[in-house]
Amino acid sequence: MDMNKLWGGLDFLRSSIPSSDYITVITSTALVQFYNPNTIQTLLQSGNNTHSGFYAATQAAADALHLQLPTLLARLNRSLKLMTTPVLQNFQFYTLEIFKNLTPSEFLEGYFHSIENSIGKIGGEHLTPFGVNDLALKILEIQKEESFLDPTCGYGNSIASILIKNSDQEIFGQDINPFASEIAQVRTILLGAKRTIIETEDVLKYPKYAKDNKLQKFDVVYSDTLLGGNNLSEHFYENDPYNRFMYGSPPKSRADWAFISNGTSSLKDDGRALYITSLGVLYRGGKEKRIRERFLELDLIEAIIKLSPGLLPNTALPTALLLINKNKRDTRKNKVIFINAENIFSKGRQKTLSKIDIDNILELLNNENDIPGKSKIVAKEAIEDGSLTVERYVKEDQIIFDQIMG
């Protein structure tokens, strides 16, 4: 879709509501249009396009589609009170033109792509870039018959990417932020999801995919662990009814390994998982070192991929992808491949991963040979002190040495 045209429509809202509230109005508009393509036109024709008219239409659409959206509706109520009737009407005249060429889902997904390129954070919620998600999903190679879990799904970018290709995929998403999970619910409905469930709750305390004190197991897990806080005690981890933290209790100050342990414990016996992590996850000592050592002992870690700093919006901190595989191919058993992809990116208004960038990283991951300065396959017995820092094994100076000797 023409992003300039989309942003032109948002000009109608800029004078009335903060940019963090755009998502509320746009999601509500897409939902109303999806439920009944005539509603917006009817409201405009009748003049009943005040706060109460559009709010009632959104609530009616949610009720008819069996969606529980209390946080979204509360925010819509707040946003509409800030908007004059002419502002709302002008915006909705604009959407009538947009919906002549776009489905409600295309309209909403176009917004998510455009917002990523502008601020990367909406409604106070972190937004994982589509390029990073595309890389992650290509690494995971999800098959049509496989089940998928995103226990920190946020607004549902990863889930939407899967549903666009296969609306029949079995998917479970959960997020602690009720507003984010409600938006994710709307996106799945608009994308025609048939077997997708989105729940709201802290997954460490209450995994909503558990029944009768047993976790549902998934073929594939994908989770962004970067923003997870931790206020849970060692007693909680040691007495978890689902035995998710058998690898060790994470430190009280950090939840990264709690999310990684939760996701890995939610895998089937031949499952695989990918986590977006901070680099500290790879080298910090104490309890986290012991957890890493146990993951290595069980030969669960297949790859560490260091990404370029600044790929994720609103943080310049370098990040990594941690690939877990319970069913490694023979050539990767008892080994870990370390990849330095910090120089693989494309530069626009901000750093992104293009299709070529993604293909280059995948080529490194699938290569069975070491690439000096870029990747190295290391036997797990050779991993020192449980450290998974990429620079320890992939040496930048090797490239310079080879160039001089060549």
Side-chain angles (χ1 to χ4, degrees), residues 310-331:
L311 266 180
L312 274 70
N314 302 302
T315 176
L317 294 176
T319 54
L321 299 179
L322 169 63
L323 177 61
I324 301 295
N325 194 342
K326 289 188 173 183
N327 188 28
K328 294 182 181 181
R329 61 182 185 263
D330 290 342
T331 56

Side-chain angles (χ1 to χ4, degrees), residues 29 34 59 61 139 144 215 247 252 263 275 284 308 323 393:
T29 301
F34 176 81
Q59 188 169 42
I139 290 172
K144 288 184 177 181
L215 292 177
Y247 314 103
K252 186 173 177 58
Y275 305 100
R284 288 192 294 255
S308 180
L323 177 61
Y393 308 99

